Amino acid sequence: RNEGIVALATHAASVAHELNTPLATMTLALDDLIEQEHVEQADTGNLADDLCTLRALVEVCRERVRELAAPAQGDGLGEPKRMIDIERVIDRWKLTRPAIELIRHGDVAAFPAVEPAVGHLLRALLNNAADASEAAGVKRVELSLHADAAGIHGEIRDFGSGLSGARTFLPAKMFDSSKVDGLGLGLALSHATVERLGGTLSMQANVDDGLRVRFQLPVQTTA
């Protein structure tokens, strides 16, 4: 019971962190719509596209909220453990960060299903990389994923300015962010997730610019 409560709390914190990004995107889109109301003969085609994007973003938020109680399901009475599709996680992330070009490597299309914690980890690291790239004026990140008998291996590269002297470690403390609008949860949750799953997480600065975050998770997967 206690483990279930802790898992639920961790899941809720992850969702709060993840919802910050799509809600921010929704706010910007709404600002554009409001501005269009003051422009005579607004382009109705662009308006329709924006509304469709907003609807999809709202659905992402609704799905994340519905998943809040999911960790408490399938843990007893012989019920199967809930798994998620990595491809769907990536597609949903791209929807929340439409301005970011995601350069992908590895056999992601044939990636197996994994437990939700892996999805939380991937979204958090992708958001951190996207934020770092955008701060440096570059709107792209790179993602490499593959799975083998040892588990899941991933690498995410941003094109930002790298880590400052105060950020050359993997924080275990929450609510400590160097970003103006950051929640201070991304790296801390990533560190906690990898630690709980018995994996490893490391950072390495690029020779030219940016940062590479690598993780390895010895988790069981399903085809």
Side-chain angles (χ1 to χ4, degrees), residues 89-106:
V89 171
I90 295 173
D91 287 342
R92 285 168 58 175
W93 181 83
K94 289 169 61 178
L95 179 62
T96 65
R97 304 301 292 258
I100 301 297
E101 177 188 5
L102 181 63
I103 304 171
R104 294 164 59 175
H105 308 284

Side-chain angles (χ1 to χ4, degrees), residues 92-187:
R92 285 168 58 175
W93 181 83
K94 289 169 61 178
L95 179 62
T96 65
R97 304 301 292 258
I100 301 297
E101 177 188 5
L102 181 63
I103 304 171
R104 294 164 59 175
H105 308 284
D107 189 13
V108 181
F111 210 80
V114 295
E115 62 179 280
V118 180
H120 298 325
L121 171 67
L122 188 57
R123 280 185 289 260
L125 294 179
L126 283 173
N127 278 330
N128 283 341
D131 291 341
S133 292
E134 281 191 311
V138 181
K139 296 185 179 296
R140 70 177 183 275
V141 298
E142 292 186 4
L143 168 66
S144 175
L145 280 175
H146 72 276
D148 57 25
I152 298 173
H153 307 266
E155 178 181 284
I156 298 176
R157 179 197 175 182
D158 66 57
F159 295 84
S161 57
L163 293 178
S164 65
R167 290 288 177 177
T168 56
F169 61 94
L170 299 176
K173 183 175 68 173
M174 292 186 178
F175 312 117
D176 178 23
S177 177
S178 60
K179 295 180 288 186
V180 176
D181 297 323
L183 297 178
L185 294 174
L187 282 178

Side-chain angles (χ1 to χ4, degrees), residues 7-144:
L8 182 59
T10 302
H11 187 81
S14 298
V15 171
H17 174 64
E18 293 164 20
L19 287 182
N20 189 49
T21 296
L23 288 175
T25 304
M26 290 169 63
T27 300
L28 292 176
L30 283 172
D31 288 341
D32 290 340
L33 291 175
I34 293 173
E35 183 178 350
Q36 288 183 30
E37 289 296 322
H38 299 286
V39 179
E40 188 175 358
Q41 296 180 344
D43 187 342
T44 56
N46 290 338
L47 179 60
D49 291 342
D50 286 341
L51 289 174
C52 289
T53 299
L54 282 174
R55 179 65 182 83
L57 287 169
V58 169
E59 183 58 29
V60 169
C61 294
R62 293 181 64 195
E63 287 185 12
R64 300 300 299 127
V65 171
R66 285 196 293 266
E67 291 174 358
L68 276 172
Q73 300 174 356
D75 291 334
L77 302 178
E79 296 180 8
K81 192 172 185 178
R82 190 174 69 92
M83 306 293 279
I84 60 172
D85 183 358
I86 283 290
E87 184 70 22
R88 178 169 172 76
V89 171
I90 295 173
D91 287 342
R92 285 168 58 175
W93 181 83
K94 289 169 61 178
L95 179 62
T96 65
R97 304 301 292 258
I100 301 297
E101 177 188 5
L102 181 63
I103 304 171
R104 294 164 59 175
H105 308 284
D107 189 13
V108 181
F111 210 80
V114 295
E115 62 179 280
V118 180
H120 298 325
L121 171 67
L122 188 57
R123 280 185 289 260
L125 294 179
L126 283 173
N127 278 330
N128 283 341
D131 291 341
S133 292
E134 281 191 311
V138 181
K139 296 185 179 296
R140 70 177 183 275
V141 298
E142 292 186 4
L143 168 66
S144 175

